[in-house]
DNA sequence: TTGAAAGCGATACCAA
DNA sequence: TTGGTATCGCTTTCAA
């Protein structure tokens, strides 16, 4: 896991080559104004000639600073998270941070390991999208850490730190209400891990939409699953086998919706014609899928940008009051071609 | 861009607390076997009580090693690259490396800056997916670097280092030949940056397929573009405006294909019915798009895994002969629903 | 098996 | 403005 490169050209070498002291050379690489133009030029020339590469690691060690940010997400292969990451990158780049990336694949063990890795690597801050099974231990650990942390997407109970997330309840309400307005009275809720807050909040929106419309909920139409396409496919097949398939389905995420679409098709049912489906997230695929997927936009990229910006802000002002940014979702209606 | 955290608990503190020397404590955190079980236990207890966090950065500085890998890709928002990154992550994780991520957005300036950043951060190796305009300067710079580099996806002329890529020519041949077999004689080639090797190689496959079928090429049907959905959309609209739209289109990438599909639809043309389209990459979206996209699989994730594995190998054996891994593509036929 | 001292490559601080 | 010296937190080397 490690490797020994050849000897680096050090600032010492540069200083010697230019005939100045190490301290002076250091000032120059840091763009300090208090150094004579002539000296600077001399040193810059030496840097160039020797092919000197600044050692940020050594500098950070000495100055007790950090220019890297640990970003922990669930899965780069999931478009929602890659869009989120895109936003994070765009924002952090502005401030000159470098991103150390970790992916948990929704495993608590991986999450704990990654947090350790980030700390061992002296990151200046952590952007954490917690796994669905995050325990209070994770929370306690983060609490005792003296490092800025911003939690994204999934909130951790009892953890009072900055948070950026989505109003899942409002999103679910929009989606389910849309189906109700289309005349549906029986609406399934498919997918997602039911003991995560991202699920319970959607459930609350699902419930509220039913209540406001004076409809009762058929709990046999609510099936959770792994938050993947495969999970969605399996869940819908179970529903079909039990012969309880309704005419409308609200899916936990677009990914789940695609699984549902594939599952339906496998069973000879035509999604979009026989059945109305609404997703959640508005990942780019939703725009070109068939049938075109009506969904709730969770603005993944924007969420990433907000989270990164919040982290940066927290790093500058550790004492400011914690913030909680909730992005409001939007219903994206897509009609059949 | 930096921040000063509170004082860290050091190995020194641990040693003092446990009543041993720093050196002994160091041996223990590195799992050295040559330390008495009793001493180890004592120290581990102190570590726990003090909440000690290993400082990998300081350790790497001292031992002249590195446990991070710089990964430079074009765009996380592009599914091809996020799949590639997924493969890279899966593989590097096995060996305990941490990934420092950089995205160029296909800008040479960003690429140069990111390479510098990676070097300044003492990465143990670099995985570079070069931008399309990579100059010989980039090549020269990499050559003089005494650090393992694996180039991915797009090969750099004159650079003799490990490379992992795809047989674009064979892929393009598969795609174009498929269209020819379906009876088309006029096939457009849309999208991509025409002075990149990834384009010229596809062009070569396009040409070869025509030649083998005894067809001549209509060069007015070849339009390059930015390698994005927007690029594809603009290119196809140009073709339509010039009234030169053929019945078959080979697209540089799936992303381009989706742009083309959207562009066609905007102009009132129904892709899949009026026109045959073939993409390139087989990104996950292709499976659920409408019309279902026939495409050439470039096995993005597998390519990432291979690249990461090659880099690891190179770091272990710097003197081994360079390798060139070319993944063979596959035609994925998808029929209309 | 353990400990003392030097050093990785930079910055901080103070004196000149 | 420049230079000398201590130091960041760890590993290495050598002696005990």
């Amino acid at each position: 896991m490690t490797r020994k490169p050849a000897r680096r050209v050090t600032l010492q070498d540069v200083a010697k080559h230019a005939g100045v002291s190490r301290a002076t050379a250091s000032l120059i690489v840091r763009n300090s104004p208090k150094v004579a133009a002539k000296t600077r030029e001399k040193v810059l020339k030496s840097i160039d000639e020797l092919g000197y590469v600044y050692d940020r690691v050594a500098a950070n060690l000495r100055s007790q600073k950090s220019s890297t940010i640990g970003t922990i997400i669930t899965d780069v292969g999931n478009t929602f998270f890659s869009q989120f990451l895109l936003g994070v990158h765009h924002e952090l780049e502005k401030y000159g941070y470098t991103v150390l990336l970790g992916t948990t694949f929704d495993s608590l063990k991986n999450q704990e390991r990654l947090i350790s890795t980030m700390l061992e690597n002296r990151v200046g801050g952590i952007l954490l999208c917690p796994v669905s099974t995050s325990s209070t231990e994770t929370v306690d650990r983060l609490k005792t850490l003296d490092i800025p942390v911003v939690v994204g997407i999934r909130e951790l109970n009892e953890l009072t730190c900055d948070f950026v997330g989505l109003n899942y309840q409002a999103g679910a309400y929009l989606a389910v209400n849309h189906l109700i307005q289309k005349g549906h009275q029986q609406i399934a809720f498919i997918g997602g891990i039911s003991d995560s807050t991202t699920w319970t909040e959607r459930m609350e929106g699902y419930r509220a939409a039913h209540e406001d419309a004076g409809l009762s909920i058929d709990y046999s139409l609510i099936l959770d699953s792994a938050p993947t396409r495969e999970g969605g496919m399996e869940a819908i097949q179970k529903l079909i086998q039990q012969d309880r398939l309704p005419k409308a389905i609200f899916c936990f995420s677009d990914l789940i919706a695609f699984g549902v679409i594939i599952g339906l098709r496998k069973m000879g049912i035509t999604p979009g014609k026989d059945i109305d489906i609404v997703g959640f997230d508005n990942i780019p695929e939703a725009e070109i899928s068939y049938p075109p997927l009506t969904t709730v936009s969770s603005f993944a990229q924007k969420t990433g940008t907000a989270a990164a910006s919040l982290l940066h802000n927290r790093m500058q002002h550790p004492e400011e009051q914690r913030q909680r940014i909730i992005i409001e979702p939007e219903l994206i209606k897509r009609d059949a071609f």
Side-chain angles (χ1 to χ4, degrees), chain A residues 201-258:
Chain A
E201 287 182 29
R202 283 175 175 82
M203 182 60 209
E204 181 50 29
Y206 174 87
R207 199 200 53 70
H210 278 78
E211 184 176 293
D212 288 359
L215 293 175
S216 64
I217 293 176
D218 179 350
Y219 286 93
S220 73
L221 297 180
I222 299 172
L223 257 84
D224 62 352
S225 80
T228 60
R229 212 158 67 181
E230 289 66 33
M233 198 175 91
E234 285 159 20
I236 196 68
Q237 288 181 330
K238 206 183 292 177
L239 211 59
I240 297 171
Q241 278 156 14
Q242 296 174 354
D243 207 22
R244 293 208 308 268
L245 189 69
K247 294 283 178 204
I249 303 172
F250 166 51
C251 296
F252 178 81
S253 66
D254 289 349
L255 220 52
I256 294 280
F258 294 137

Side-chain angles (χ1 to χ4, degrees), chain A residues 152-199:
Chain A
I153 313 305
R154 181 176 284 130
E155 199 156 12
L156 291 176
N157 295 325
E158 309 161 45
L159 182 65
T160 50
C161 73
D162 294 313
F163 174 73
V164 175
L166 191 75
N167 191 340
Y168 298 105
Q169 189 186 328
Y173 189 97
L174 285 173
V176 174
N177 187 56
H178 170 72
L179 289 170
I180 292 174
Q181 296 304 320
K182 285 188 84 171
H184 294 287
Q185 307 224 343
Q186 279 215 314
I187 300 165
F189 174 24
I190 302 290
I193 295 168
S194 60
D195 52 4
S196 68
T197 56
T198 52
W199 191 90

Side-chain angles (χ1 to χ4, degrees), chain A residues 111-138:
Chain A
Q111 175 169 292
E112 297 303 304
R113 188 177 46 73
L114 285 168
I115 292 177
S116 296
T117 303
M118 298 301 174
L119 294 175
E120 292 181 2
N121 282 289
R122 295 186 87 96
V123 296
I126 293 183
L127 194 48
L128 173 69
C129 301
V131 299
S132 48
T133 52
S134 293
S135 60
T136 49
E137 277 152 56
T138 310

Side-chain angles (χ1 to χ4, degrees), chain A residues 31-51:
Chain A
N31 280 318
S32 165
K34 43 185 178 178
V35 63
K38 207 169 168 186
T39 317
R40 147 163 290 127
E41 217 166 290
K42 211 167 47 178
V43 173
L44 289 178
K45 192 161 157 256
S46 297
I47 286 180
D48 197 43
E49 284 178 21
L50 299 178

